[in-house]
Amino acid sequence: MTHSLLKSLASLCAALFIGVFASGLLSPARAADRAEVTAFLEVTGFDVALDSIALSAESAPEMLGLEAGDFGQEWTRLAARVFDTDRMRALALDILVETLDDAALDHAAAFYASDLGQRLVAAENAAHMVEDDETKQIAGQRIIADLVQDGADRLALLQRMTKAVDAADTGVKAIQQIQFRFLMAASAAGVIDLQLDADGLRAWQQEQAPGMRMALRASSMASSAYAYQDFSDEEVRSYVRALETPLMQEVYELLNAVQYEITANRFEALAYQMKGLGQGEDI
């Protein structure tokens, strides 16, 4: 179950746990207005990152030990309805107008509006919307292998980038929270017969965490290697330095939290609507 979800989500920005909402980010000095945030989403490419959440829906049946075909021809229509991109963007806007302050917005927008920033956004948008994540991962892994063989400086830059977008190393907790909420919702809806209670599921996830953390870092590295393969080392270095600034860290902490909260929200909604599509099995 974990491998399926990890593959679907690791190509998005490595994320911080949704608990940041309790850490003071709900009360910024002055929140941006809706028009400003809409423009911000476009210039940073976060709107496309949100849209790409829909691609993770394909992993849902596998997480339950099932196949999409088990739910009949309605599956594709259900997934498209639940992971409606307009709805997900609206949810993001609702949160960000209350949480994203002007200083952080202006700082990030200024970088991404630059020539380098817009080229990076174009590359990231293209990578986000590659539906065949396995092919992307294989290509990225080959690039990483070549970098290791050559002893290239770029490898260290990609490692810094991975750390910068998940400075608190809480991406695994975010993925596990999505998994937990989806499985518990599917059990409550009668889609599956979950053989673990909430405490048992948490304990099982804790056992899986070390391996997942290693897999997530490797997957994030491969995704970055793939996405930025056409950029020079100096351009990647400039990007890493930008990501490491305090205000950019604040922005990523919030955007990643929003992205994962919306993913969990949509997976829960999906679970409650899967009951009418077919029969589940023990898990």
Side-chain angles (χ1 to χ4, degrees), residues 2 6 10 14 162 166 168-176 205-221:
T2 57
L6 183 62
T162 298
D166 188 9
D169 192 27
T170 48
V172 169
K173 290 182 181 179
I175 291 176
Q176 289 188 327
Q205 288 184 318
Q206 186 64 28
E207 293 176 359
Q208 301 297 311
M212 179 181 281
R213 181 170 289 103
M214 292 179 62
L216 179 59
R217 288 174 180 170
S219 181
S220 296
M221 286 275 290

Side-chain angles (χ1 to χ4, degrees), residues 9-24:
L9 298 182
S11 60
L12 305 175
C13 296
L16 297 176
F17 188 44
I18 59 176
V20 298
F21 289 112
S23 69

Side-chain angles (χ1 to χ4, degrees), residues 1 21 31 37 45 56 66 92 99 116 137 148 155 163 180 208 215 226 231 233 235:
M1 293 183 295
F21 289 112
V37 175
S56 66
L66 305 169
T99 57
L116 174 60
Q137 282 290 305
V148 172
L155 188 64
K163 182 177 180 180
F180 181 87
Q208 301 297 311
Y226 175 86
F231 291 82
D233 286 354
E235 289 171 329

Side-chain angles (χ1 to χ4, degrees), residues 1-280:
M1 293 183 295
T2 57
H3 178 63
S4 174
L5 180 60
L6 183 62
K7 280 204 311 177
S8 299
L9 298 182
S11 60
L12 305 175
C13 296
L16 297 176
F17 188 44
I18 59 176
V20 298
F21 289 112
S23 69
L25 289 173
L26 280 174
S27 301
R30 189 182 83 79
D33 65 33
R34 202 170 187 88
E36 290 174 328
V37 175
T38 299
F40 171 82
L41 295 184
E42 182 176 353
V43 75
T44 60
F46 189 63
D47 53 355
V48 177
L50 288 168
D51 292 348
S52 70
I53 292 173
L55 300 179
S56 66
E58 68 182 22
S59 71
E62 189 177 345
M63 275 195 287
L64 303 179
L66 305 169
E67 300 288 342
D70 296 334
F71 297 95
Q73 296 181 354
E74 288 294 313
W75 168 256
T76 300
R77 285 190 286 271
L78 172 62
R81 184 167 69 249
V82 172
F83 288 84
D84 178 73
T85 55
D86 289 339
R87 182 169 186 175
M88 291 191 294
R89 290 191 185 195
L91 287 171
L93 283 170
D94 288 342
I95 298 171
L96 289 173
V97 294
E98 298 295 333
T99 57
L100 183 60
D101 65 54
D102 278 349
L105 182 154
D106 292 343
H107 178 81
F111 173 78
Y112 283 109
S114 68
D115 177 67
L116 174 60
Q118 284 299 284
R119 288 173 51 226
L120 288 164
V121 168
E124 290 166 352
N125 286 351
H128 282 322
M129 299 311 295
V130 174
E131 294 190 23
D132 189 350
D133 189 66
E134 184 174 358
T135 297
K136 182 171 62 177
Q137 282 290 305
I138 291 173
Q141 289 165 6
R142 287 174 177 167
I143 294 172
I144 293 292
D146 289 341
L147 293 175
V148 172
Q149 184 176 352
D150 296 340
D153 293 340
R154 193 181 190 89
L155 188 64
L157 292 174
L158 294 176
Q159 291 171 336
R160 282 174 59 188
M161 180 182 291
T162 298
K163 182 177 180 180
V165 296
D166 188 9
D169 192 27
T170 48
V172 169
K173 290 182 181 179
I175 291 176
Q176 289 188 327
Q177 179 70 355
I178 293 168
Q179 181 188 54
F180 181 87
R181 288 169 62 175
F182 179 54
L183 292 177
M184 295 303 293
S187 178
V191 178
I192 57 170
D193 182 10
L194 189 63
Q195 299 300 298
L196 297 172
D197 60 13
D199 290 340
L201 180 55
R202 290 292 194 196
W204 177 80
Q205 288 184 318
Q206 186 64 28
E207 293 176 359
Q208 301 297 311
M212 179 181 281
R213 181 170 289 103
M214 292 179 62
L216 179 59
R217 288 174 180 170
S219 181
S220 296
M221 286 275 290
S223 294
S224 295
Y226 175 86
Y228 309 115
Q229 59 186 302
D230 293 330
F231 291 82
S232 69
D233 286 354
E234 189 55 42
E235 289 171 329
V236 173
R237 184 175 291 105
S238 295
Y239 192 23
V240 170
R241 288 172 177 165
L243 292 172
E244 291 174 338
T245 61
L247 276 178
M248 193 73 88
Q249 290 278 292
E250 179 182 328
V251 169
Y252 264 77
E253 184 177 21
L254 180 57
L255 293 186
N256 290 330
V258 170
Q259 185 167 302
Y260 273 78
E261 173 57 25
I262 291 173
T263 303
N265 175 281
R266 293 296 81 200
F267 266 87
E268 282 183 325
L270 182 66
Y272 285 112
Q273 295 189 46
M274 289 172 73
K275 178 62 175 178
L277 297 184
Q279 299 298 318

